[in-house]
Amino acid sequence: MTTARNILNSVFGYPDFRGKQADIITHLADGNDCLVLMPTGGGKSLCYQIPALMREGVAVVVSPLISLMQNQVAALNEVGVHAAVLNSSLPHEEAQQVEQKLLSSEYDLLYVAPERLLTWRFLDLISRIPLALFAIDEAHCVSQWGHDFRPEYSQLSVLHERFPNVPRIALTATADPVTRQEIIERLALHEAKVFVSSFDRPNIRYHIIDKLNSKQQLLMFVQTEHSGDAGIVYCLARKKVDEITEWLNSHGIRALPYHAGMSLHQRASNQETFLREDDVVMVATIAFGMGIDKPDVRFVAHLDMPKSIEAYYQETGRAGRDGLKANAWMAYGLNDVIQQRRMIEESDAQQQFKQVATQKLESMLAYCETITCRRMYLLRYLGETIVPEYCGNCDICLNPPKTWDATVEVQKALSCVYRTGQQFGVGYLIDVLRGNCTARVKYWNHDQISTFGIGRDLPVKTWRAVFRQIIARGLLTTDSEGYGALWFTETSRSVLKEQQRIFLRQLGVNDRFFQSMEPVGESSFSAAEQQLWEQLRAWRAKTALEHGVPAYVIFHDTTLKELVHVCPQTVEELSRITGIGAHKLDRYGAHLISILHRG
Ligand code: ADP
Ligand code: ZN
């Protein structure tokens, strides 16, 4: 039997396993079930792809998204592995061909959508051939609480019932203990060994700024740190997606929209362009992203706050899968707090659901407002016990925020809410505090109350930041009628009564962009290296186009970078470069050498 390491080296061209890959592969190849929790970019696919090559028979891989299965298969074919996709998008004849080849054992891996797998016909088909294993990718899709719930996933326990001797591996990047338990229950994985990796993504820099003019702030961020890079910008609403796409395009940044209001065809085509080319910014709602395995996404930007840490971590996790530096950037402001609170209140979900949603939101708000290392906060939230206090790669570590004693200001704000009868929104309250005698203020006679004008000394934006932090900390709550009126909570009373001291974050310290990132390839190269890098990229783009696959399927940026630095001159030297296995060496070796000779 070929060993796992042999396959890793010769087929995939990688020198070493990462993290727990080796243990997982041995466990599965020996015929045992397992559940793998690993962050995005951790290297989950190899955990079943290598055992698929070690064991007799075909490995059946369940995955929720058609287009992404196709990319996985393209990448496998590129390294010379026999793999295919079977799904509803395939014309009847092609599907039949795939089935024929399946029956004659021509594949090592077959990717199928869950609805296809669960058909009586398909189950019957695979009962006639030797099966290496079942891999259930994106296993968190069984979770009813989660945002990617897929009803078909909950029926996948049928695999265990019908094929008790075929080992199963379930994989996910969603780490929280509740989801983990749900996966075990619903997939009947009680006997499975659970492999938990650290969820840290050290190459991602977390960065949150105070939202002032988010369009402008986003543009600055992209222009200064990510010109020519692939990235994702998340917005809450479709309209905003369209607006931001236009805004970026009008400033010379190539952006495409993606949201559920567009036709299926348009969406698929934009996603395809994003995957294939390496300088597209995808502006999207959360409808976009599950299973996106593009390795060179250099940034994920949020213009609206996600509703939970799980969602945030999954979305930001789409950056930097190749391990090179990447940015997770977010503009966050008062409206995010109010809007998210209101959305929970207004939803007609059951009380229990609202409670869960509220808790998740509280954690997200606390993350945004934290004055300690962001990575530490995230990893603790994900249940890790050994976490850094200082990561050196988040905004807080790099540029510690200043705090100020805002006790008096918080008291002023709270009493203003109280004196005006707990029925006005932030804008109005600030008018009263700053002694702004508008018609509305006059109408309500609020120019006569004791809090009128007691906050003249602070500008509007500081007051907004004060209110944002007060609401984020649960010292005030907002109504569900949509007017944004603020009122007291239990905590607000005690803060006023006990005269608790309150420290808030100073505004503005964190707005500046700092320590621009080292760009992915270019700037660390000499002029000659730069030229070589560009030649290699051009060759890669041309080859990818000819083969009809994304550029990264030919070679990752990491491989091209190493080629530039090492500049191998023989086939032997070339074979030692990460990401060049036997098949690719055969196919591209001579050509690469000729480019490198010239370079
Ligand atoms: P996940 O599914 O966990 O998000 P992938 O399986 O897509 O991650 O792997 C992320 C990237 O890391 C892929 O491009 C893959 O080729 C690469 N990779 C995985 N394992 C290794 C390894 N042992 N050495 C080098 N690169 C690896
Ligand atoms: Zn940090």
Side-chain angles (χ1 to χ4, degrees), residues 203-226 230-235 240 244 247-248 281-283 297-306 311-313 315-320 325-333 336 364 367-368 374-375 378 393-395 398 510-517:
N203 61 316
I204 297 183
R205 173 172 297 176
Y206 300 98
H207 187 185
I208 299 182
I209 65 164
D210 289 321
K211 195 186 276 184
L212 299 172
N213 172 353
S214 56
K215 265 161 86 172
Q216 194 66 44
Q217 288 171 307
L218 174 73
L219 182 65
M220 270 250 285
F221 166 67
V222 178
Q223 282 177 337
T224 53
E225 301 204 32
H226 290 291
I232 306 174
V233 177
Y234 279 112
C235 308
K240 190 154 161 192
I244 298 293
W247 165 257
L248 290 177
V281 174
M282 188 66 114
V283 185
V297 175
R298 293 269 67 86
F299 71 92
V300 170
H302 280 96
L303 287 183
D304 296 298
M305 182 183 69
Y312 172 78
Y313 206 64
E315 284 151 22
T316 54
R318 291 173 186 141
K325 287 185 182 180
N327 254 322
W329 179 95
M330 173 156 83
Y332 154 81
D336 290 303
M364 187 63 212
Y367 170 73
C368 293
R374 297 213 192 267
R375 195 175 310 273
L378 289 169
N393 197 23
C394 74
D395 56 348
L398 290 168
N510 206 19
D511 283 349
R512 272 176 296 115
F513 296 106
F514 53 91
Q515 306 209 358
S516 191
M517 309 219 315

Side-chain angles (χ1 to χ4, degrees), residues 12 49 89 179 246 267 299 342 383 389 511 515 529 536:
F12 295 94
Q49 287 169 348
S89 74
T179 310
E246 207 185 299
R267 265 187 280 166
F299 71 92
R342 196 184 293 158
E389 299 247 322
D511 283 349
Q515 306 209 358
E529 286 173 336
L536 287 168

Side-chain angles (χ1 to χ4, degrees), residues 8 12 14-18 21 38-46 49 72 137 173 293 295 321-322 556 578:
L8 179 77
F12 295 94
Y14 297 142
D16 288 304
F17 285 114
R18 272 192 199 158
Q21 280 177 333
M38 211 185 253
T40 309
K44 284 187 284 298
S45 324
L46 285 189
Q49 287 169 348
Q72 286 255 0
D137 206 3
D293 58 358
R321 293 172 77 120
D322 51 12
H556 282 188
T578 304

Side-chain angles (χ1 to χ4, degrees), residues 278-297:
D278 47 18
D279 63 344
V280 178
V281 174
M282 188 66 114
V283 185
T285 60
I286 53 168
F288 176 74
M290 185 177 43
I292 288 289
D293 58 358
K294 187 175 171 61
D296 52 1
V297 175

Side-chain angles (χ1 to χ4, degrees), residues 74-91:
L76 283 169
N77 291 340
E78 269 293 320
V79 296
V81 172
H82 301 282
V85 188
L86 200 53
N87 61 43
S88 46
S89 74
L90 231 51

Side-chain angles (χ1 to χ4, degrees), residues 451-504:
T451 49
F452 182 75
I454 54 169
R456 262 198 198 95
D457 51 328
L458 293 186
V460 174
K461 68 176 183 185
T462 308
W463 275 117
R464 288 183 73 83
V466 169
F467 274 105
R468 185 193 82 215
Q469 295 179 71
I470 292 180
I471 300 167
R473 290 182 184 201
L475 294 180
L476 284 175
T477 183
T478 169
D479 72 340
S480 55
E481 269 90 58
Y483 299 113
L486 299 176
W487 60 56
F488 272 35
T489 64
E490 280 309 305
T491 354
S492 20
R493 275 175 240 288
S494 72
V495 162
L496 271 184
K497 223 167 47 209
E498 289 161 30
Q499 312 240 317
Q500 221 172 302
R501 297 220 83 72
I502 296 190
F503 287 85
L504 298 181

